[in-house]
Amino acid sequence: MVDISVIIPIYNVKEYLEDCLNSLLIQSLLNCEFICIDDGSTDDSYKIVESYMGKDKRFKMIRQKNKGLAETRNVGIRNARGKYIVFLDSDDYYVDGCVLDKLFQNAEENALELLGFETELLYEGNMKELDNKDFYYYKDHVYPGIRKGIDFFIDMMSKHEYCDSSCMMFINREWLLEQGIFFYPGILYEDALFCTQCFLYAGRMAHLSERLYTYRVREKSIMTGSICWENVRSRLVVYREILSLSALFRKDEAGLQEPLAEYLSLIASHAKYMDEFRIDEPSDERMEPLDLLLMKTMEIGKYRIEVNEEVILNGLEKLVADSEGVILYGAGAAGRMFFRFLQDKGLSGKVLCYAVSGTTDESAILDNIPIFPINEAIKKPGRVILSVIAYKARMAMQKTLKQLGVNQFQIFDQYIYRALRHYVQEI
């Protein structure tokens, strides 16, 4: 038995693969294997792997017809010989040569089934502006001790810092096989279900508040490509499976129900959001009967309700025109889109400021509008408009407002966002 099996699915990443493999080549832990699985690449990625196999016997390769990320990871799990397994995406890399040794020593010393850790984000080009993931991946809190995975899930959800990324987990392979946990094949967002299962079943877990991994945020990756019906269907499948899973813990883990319900709400919100942006028509193919019921309940797919965008925009215009002024809590894409709409309507003077959750420079300005921390912004007489669409960010910002004693504020939903997006595209 080797100490660690690193599972690296590979699909047309020739441009990034050497960074990934170099970070493995320098790992100080020698008793491990690097299982590179070429999932039907057409760009000769396998030739790069072959060159590394000639340098270091820890590198191994499996070549197969394209099966998708979930099933490729399952192939890795089934072929692994390590006491522990860890996943590394082929366009990402480890931060230094001691990562595997650090994870192994921590898991061994504490007899862990599951060890979490954190990531650094590497944005390509303007991807931070287009797809800012800081809020989702970066944590402001530490999570000490050795506890059940459920306790970590509850703790992280309460702080809006639960992150469902399988690449940020170091897993005891025998325990994983005993639990029968694999990736659900044939869907996107397979990490959400896999990670939740690991957290809910782990009896001994710890978390390292260290960024040991580098996640590359790039264009045309699986997670940043065009949104299709398959994205929405996959979210429905994840929702359905976690909903079924929640019933198993209903009696024994009473404290789990609220955070699990919030997590399901996040998945549902994401499904509805993506349904607004999909570029193709929904299909009932591969849909389970429960999925169709969920579609109707969530009003997505063929059950999506089309709204009168003109009525929505007229309501927004009147809301701002009749107010003393507005504070746009959220200075990202949604907030700036709203500002452009108000500017076009001759109402930009009603915008008192942008507000953000963190600290800002006293002279910070965006669109010729000052930016203030929210605790300073609410001292102004204007109406707070929570101008953000991402569910996790919105929930955290609502919590911040209530802690500051602000109970009256307006919130964006996907219908408002869609109406504003269409309007701004036309001006």
Side-chain angles (χ1 to χ4, degrees), residues 5-126:
S5 296
V6 183
I7 298 170
I8 312 104
I10 298 171
Y11 182 72
N12 290 349
V13 286
K14 187 176 181 180
E15 181 180 351
Y16 306 99
L17 189 53
E18 289 189 1
D19 286 345
C20 174
L21 301 185
N22 282 337
S23 77
L24 292 171
L25 188 66
I26 63 172
Q27 291 300 311
S28 58
L29 191 66
L30 299 179
N31 187 30
C32 52
E33 60 179 2
F34 309 140
I35 306 175
C36 302
I37 309 170
D38 180 53
D39 187 35
S41 295
T42 59
D43 67 349
D44 291 339
S45 290
Y46 76 94
K47 292 182 179 179
I48 297 176
V49 177
E50 286 180 340
S51 70
Y52 280 80
M53 291 170 65
K55 300 175 187 177
D56 192 319
K57 65 180 181 180
R58 293 176 294 179
F59 287 94
K60 302 180 178 180
M61 181 166 57
I62 297 172
R63 297 188 68 192
Q64 64 184 29
K65 292 182 179 180
N66 184 260
K67 296 182 178 181
L69 182 58
E71 187 53 38
T72 299
R73 285 174 172 166
N74 288 340
V75 169
I77 293 171
R78 295 187 183 103
N79 283 273
R81 298 181 300 117
K83 183 173 182 179
Y84 300 94
I85 61 173
V86 64
F87 302 98
L88 173 62
D89 284 349
S90 52
D91 51 353
D92 300 335
Y93 54 90
Y94 291 127
V95 296
D96 61 44
C98 300
V99 169
L100 295 182
D101 187 62
K102 181 177 291 187
L103 293 171
F104 179 75
Q105 294 300 329
N106 194 296
E108 283 288 280
E109 290 171 7
N110 297 295
L112 299 177
E113 295 165 345
L114 187 63
L115 174 62
F117 54 99
E118 299 178 20
T119 185
E120 191 67 58
L121 297 175
L122 175 63
Y123 292 97
E124 283 194 345
N126 65 341

Side-chain angles (χ1 to χ4, degrees), residues 132-143:
N132 193 319
K133 297 178 181 291
D134 287 12
F135 183 84
Y136 189 76
Y137 284 97
Y138 289 157
K139 292 177 170 56
D140 294 324
H141 302 84
V142 297
Y143 297 90

Side-chain angles (χ1 to χ4, degrees), residues 331 352-356 358-373 380:
L352 304 177
C353 67
Y354 284 112
V356 294
T359 59
T360 64
D361 186 274
E362 291 182 1
S363 59
I365 291 177
L366 183 65
D367 299 324
N368 293 318
I369 302 296
I371 307 174
F372 293 117
K380 297 180 177 295

